[in-house]
Amino acid sequence: MANAWREEQITIAGLKVQLLHGGQGAPLLVLHGAGGNHGWLQFHEALAQQFHVYAPSHPGFGTSDRPDWMERVHDLAYFYRWFMDELQLAPLSIIGFSMGAWLAAEMVAMYPALIRRMVLVGAAGMKPAVGEITDIFLLTPEEVLQKQFYDPTQAPEYARLYGSEPTFEQRQIASWNREMAALLTWKPYMYNPKLPALMAQVKTPTLMVWGRQDAIVPLNCGALYQQAIPGSRLVVIDNCGHSPQVEKPQAFLDAVLPFLSAP
Amino acid sequence: MVNIYFFTEMPYAEFNEREAEKYPSMRLTFPNTYFDPHKAHVLFRNYYDQYQWAEEVGFDGLMINEHHNTPSCMDVAVNLSAAVLARTTQRAKILLLGNMLPTNDNPVRLAEEVAMADVISGGRVIAGVVRGIGIETWANNTQPNYNRERFEECHDLMLAAWTRPGPFRWEGKHYHFRVINPWVLPLQKPHPPIWVPGTGSPETIEWAAQHRYTYAAFLVPLDATERLYATYRECASAAGYEATAQHFAYMVCCACADTDEKAQELGKHYLWRMGHPLRGPAEYWAPPGYLGERKPLQPGGPIRAGRRPMYTMTYEELQEAYHVVVGSPQTVLEKLSYMQERLGFGSLLLEAQAGAMPHADTMRSLELLGRDVIPQLKKL
């Protein structure tokens, strides 16, 4: 029996925030990437069997307000401190995807005591040792989508997410998401040069999950996180691109659920 | 009385333009391995000779501009060209149109450079300011989201550097300087005239009108230009003054030859600048946020709506739209006179060289314009 999830508009620090949440159990914060919040997906539902999953749209994304002072990823980390306080969620676990994983890394550097466990999926934030993080803003949305998946046919929700022509409202939101993502990540593009030093002090149990064929954030960034964060682990999913949670949801859940459920 | 300016983007057309078809655009990511500095050396000499010649044959002013990562414009530093012209010419205005403010990280240095050019030239500089097309944001790697904010703050700081006695301090949003005290100040007081170009953005027109700056419409259809100028006049009235011809400039591609037939042939070189350099993905031209914060889709607003991109137009259509004006002196005079009478601009900016237009033909074109067209236009 599926748990009911719902969408609400809440107010945090004076900002209207779009929040999807559902499930029962310990709180689990899901942080979306630069492309924005794609709604309640299969993997949310699966996680909601064991956790109370919170999937907000970051400030400036979706229908969440955009504060004019916010311009770096660590500014989002301040916001999420207020978010956790307001909803009384701490300590909680986090799953971050891509830019959202970079955000999770900034959060754990700022307030480690509030975070139980952390999962970084195809995480931005680290300057690659080899290669480059794909410049998504220089590509058309279609080209970005093409790079995002290794084999779209194996993604069960691909058609639902990308199969039909977006509505005007969806295109408008996508354009604003892109604008906010560019603001947050423009220079240096998609990484924080201080992150290796910050990650070296992390004691929070951390798991990295990467698609082996990730064509947006190179796999070697996963290795850099693993080297930087003491005791962390890197799970690589074969034949998979930048978004394992959508492209190979079962393999993703098999990697993540035991880690998050550990005492 | 209308003032006439000569302009070339200093293009580099020394390769097969069809090479551009292999790439998303001829700008930004078109490989610079196609560039040969020895060929560029010859081109630069030709272009600077054309500017000197234009002054000699009767042009009132010399317009220069700046772009990056593109063979369509080798002038990558408008202030460098201003310095060259300041020394190689004697009388003509030097119209910088212009310095890209948002991509500039040091407005004080910018103010110094323009002031120096003004002093060297004996006070002939017109200090145009531009936002820069979206591609410049990529080439200079500046935040596109802050393009307009940086444009305005850079302008304010440049003006302060010219006019406010130093030393003083600047703590803005995007610019911070401890000791602003440039020694070299402009010769023109309180500062060189400022112009702003545009192709239809209403914010730019309003901003220009509020500051009483000359607004230069670049390759805008005549009917759209009438609406742009009308918007300027309305903003001027609201600001408590009446806009006159000196507040309006207009740029058009224009070449002249001894006969209409020859001119029609020569003018085909404009198809190069109207083609690949104007083509490219939306992501290049409008990086995220460049058009403004959380703007509704449909960039450009009502004034640009329905306008056909010039790279889709034929040679004949470009002429019918008055984007390209070519002909014998008589033909060119008739067309430019019609445009002047219809629009009432005070300055006409003639892009009289483009693509691979041969140097000798360009020099002849300038001579004919200077001898047979400009004196007549000035009588209007």
Side-chain angles (χ1 to χ4, degrees):
Chain A
M1 173 78 187
N3 291 290
W5 66 275
R6 53 199 172 124
E7 178 175 340
E8 285 183 71
Q9 190 188 75
I10 59 170
T11 302
I12 306 287
L15 300 170
K16 287 194 300 252
V17 177
Q18 180 184 26
L19 173 65
L20 280 53
H21 71 110
Q24 283 184 341
L28 175 63
L29 179 61
V30 175
L31 300 172
H32 66 75
N37 191 340
H38 294 295
W40 193 262
L41 304 179
Q42 282 179 15
F43 80 89
H44 292 101
E45 189 60 34
L47 293 167
Q49 306 303 314
Q50 297 184 32
F51 300 95
H52 190 155
V53 175
Y54 293 83
S57 298
H58 308 321
F61 289 83
T63 56
S64 294
D65 280 350
R66 171 173 163 181
D68 58 8
W69 59 269
M70 203 174 264
E71 54 181 15
R72 303 298 302 164
V73 168
H74 67 248
D75 294 334
L76 284 178
Y78 295 122
F79 164 82
Y80 276 106
R81 169 80 205 243
W82 308 329
F83 178 93
M84 288 159 66
D85 283 352
E86 184 72 27
L87 300 182
Q88 298 184 323
L89 299 180
L92 52 47
S93 293
I94 304 181
I95 301 180
F97 299 103
S98 193
M99 185 196 79
W102 172 9
L103 166 60
E106 300 275 0
M107 290 164 67
V108 87
M110 277 189 198
Y111 35 88
L114 305 189
I115 297 166
R116 270 188 67 240
R117 290 178 164 261
M118 173 168 81
V119 180
L120 309 179
V121 185
M126 286 279 185
K127 182 185 179 185
V130 182
E132 289 160 347
I133 299 175
T134 294
D135 194 338
I136 59 170
F137 303 118
L138 205 45
L139 301 177
T140 64
E142 295 74 27
E143 289 168 329
V144 174
L145 190 59
Q146 208 177 3
K147 280 194 176 284
Q148 194 180 335
F149 290 89
Y150 171 69
D151 176 8
T153 62
Q154 63 184 347
E157 291 169 297
Y158 190 89
R160 192 193 128 200
L161 283 169
Y162 308 109
S164 52
E165 197 61 27
T167 63
F168 181 82
E169 196 191 1
Q170 285 168 331
R171 283 196 298 129
Q172 181 69 84
I173 294 279
S175 157
W176 290 346
N177 286 347
R178 216 168 145 85
E179 189 180 315
M180 186 64 184
L183 182 66
L184 294 169
T185 67
W186 192 260
K187 188 163 71 177
Y189 172 65
M190 278 291 173
Y191 71 91
N192 175 357
K194 299 168 188 165
L195 215 52
L198 298 177
M199 291 302 97
Q201 302 308 316
V202 170
K203 296 182 181 67
T204 306
T206 301
L207 174 72
M208 271 71 63
V209 179
W210 235 271
R212 188 175 299 283
Q213 286 76 22
D214 191 328
I216 306 279
V217 183
L219 177 57
N220 73 78
C221 290
L224 291 176
Y225 270 107
Q226 191 197 2
Q227 285 157 27
I229 302 174
S232 64
R233 215 153 46 82
L234 170 63
V235 171
V236 180
I237 299 177
D238 283 324
N239 299 319
C240 185
H242 181 60
S243 305
Q245 74 280 12
V246 181
E247 185 162 358
K248 287 202 159 185
Q250 196 52 54
F252 168 76
L253 291 165
D254 289 347
V256 163
L257 276 172
F259 171 79
L260 287 175
S261 310
Chain B
M1 191 175 70
V2 66
N3 287 314
I4 317 290
Y5 290 71
F6 164 58
F7 170 47
T8 171
E9 287 205 287
M10 307 194 195
Y12 181 100
E14 303 288 310
F15 56 93
N16 183 347
E17 67 174 309
R18 300 206 60 174
E19 290 297 302
E21 291 165 16
K22 298 177 185 168
Y23 304 95
S25 173
M26 201 194 262
R27 293 180 190 254
L28 191 61
T29 51
F30 182 70
N32 62 3
T33 45
Y34 288 94
F35 178 76
D36 178 345
H38 300 288
K39 290 178 177 169
H41 172 74
V42 175
L43 290 171
F44 272 125
R45 290 183 68 99
N46 289 347
Y47 296 142
Y48 289 123
D49 284 352
Q50 289 165 18
Y51 277 113
Q52 269 182 274
W53 182 234
E55 179 188 61
E56 265 182 72
V57 299
F59 280 77
D60 302 290
L62 311 170
M63 169 179 157
I64 45 184
N65 75 335
E66 170 176 330
H67 284 290
H68 300 273
N69 293 32
T70 176
S72 65
C73 178
M74 289 199 301
D75 195 340
V76 292
V78 72
N79 298 338
L80 272 184
S81 282
V84 171
L85 297 180
R87 192 75 181 107
T88 59
T89 65
Q90 279 73 46
R91 171 191 57 80
K93 295 285 185 196
I94 302 169
L95 168 58
L96 288 60
L97 210 52
N99 270 296
M100 289 172 196
L101 303 189
T103 58
N104 198 306
D105 285 330
N106 190 341
V108 179
R109 167 76 180 253
L110 173 61
E112 289 180 314
E113 289 175 358
V114 176
M116 183 171 155
D118 194 49
V119 173
I120 296 172
S121 70
R124 292 186 284 134
V125 164
I126 297 172
V129 293
V130 307
R131 286 180 62 200
I133 55 175
I135 285 163
E136 316 304 345
T137 281
W138 286 112
N140 293 280
N141 200 15
T142 42
Q143 266 283 358
N145 306 65
Y146 293 139
N147 188 280
R148 189 163 288 281
E149 281 184 18
R150 284 174 63 102
F151 174 81
E152 295 190 7
E153 189 181 335
C154 184
H155 160 271
D156 294 348
L157 174 47
M158 182 178 75
L159 228 61
W162 283 339
T163 57
R164 197 189 299 176
F168 66 93
R169 186 161 158 171
W170 188 274
E171 298 295 341
K173 178 173 176 188
H174 298 288
Y175 300 104
H176 311 86
F177 288 85
R178 285 186 165 77
V179 187
I180 298 176
N181 193 19
W183 186 255
V184 178
L185 295 169
L187 194 148
Q188 297 177 86
K189 296 297 176 194
H191 58 77
I194 293 176
W195 289 23
V196 190
T199 59
S201 161
E203 290 97 333
T204 301
I205 301 163
E206 287 162 21
W207 187 85
Q210 281 157 10
H211 289 82
R212 307 188 181 206
Y213 295 157
T214 296
Y215 176 79
F218 274 15
L219 296 168
V220 180
L222 300 186
D223 52 348
T225 305
E226 286 172 330
R227 294 200 294 277
L228 294 174
Y229 286 1
T231 303
Y232 188 110
R233 287 195 187 91
E234 287 162 21
C235 294
S237 294
Y241 73 100
E242 191 183 339
T244 62
Q246 61 154 351
H247 293 105
F248 300 110
Y250 189 78
M251 195 199 83
V252 63
C253 292
C254 178
C256 201
D258 291 280
T259 65
D260 282 331
E261 292 71 30
K262 279 186 184 172
Q264 282 295 328
E265 270 311 298
L266 186 63
K268 285 178 184 164
H269 288 288
Y270 287 115
L271 292 172
W272 187 91
R273 67 92 71 218
M274 293 295 188
H276 285 294
L278 301 184
R279 184 183 61 82
E283 285 69 27
Y284 285 23
W285 293 93
Y290 171 80
L291 295 170
E293 190 177 322
R294 284 201 162 187
K295 277 283 172 69
L297 290 173
Q298 294 166 348
I303 290 177
R304 215 175 301 178
R307 242 197 259 169
R308 261 181 69 192
M310 287 183 288
Y311 64 82
T312 66
M313 296 169 80
T314 65
Y315 187 36
E316 290 69 31
E317 287 169 333
L318 287 165
Q319 294 190 63
E320 283 159 20
Y322 290 89
H323 294 321
V324 172
V325 171
V326 293
S328 64
Q330 188 55 38
T331 303
V332 167
L333 178 62
E334 282 167 16
K335 288 195 173 189
L336 295 181
S337 300
Y338 168 73
M339 294 162 73
Q340 208 282 330
E341 278 161 13
R342 189 161 159 191
L343 297 175
F345 42 72
S347 300
L348 182 58
L349 319 175
L350 302 182
E351 186 173 339
Q353 192 285 331
M357 191 180 282
H359 180 56
D361 293 341
T362 306
M363 296 291 267
R364 177 64 180 161
S365 170
L366 293 173
E367 186 180 356
L368 292 170
L369 288 166
R371 190 187 69 194
D372 299 334
V373 177
I374 290 174
Q376 301 303 317
L377 273 179
K378 285 186 169 294
K379 288 180 188 162
L380 291 177

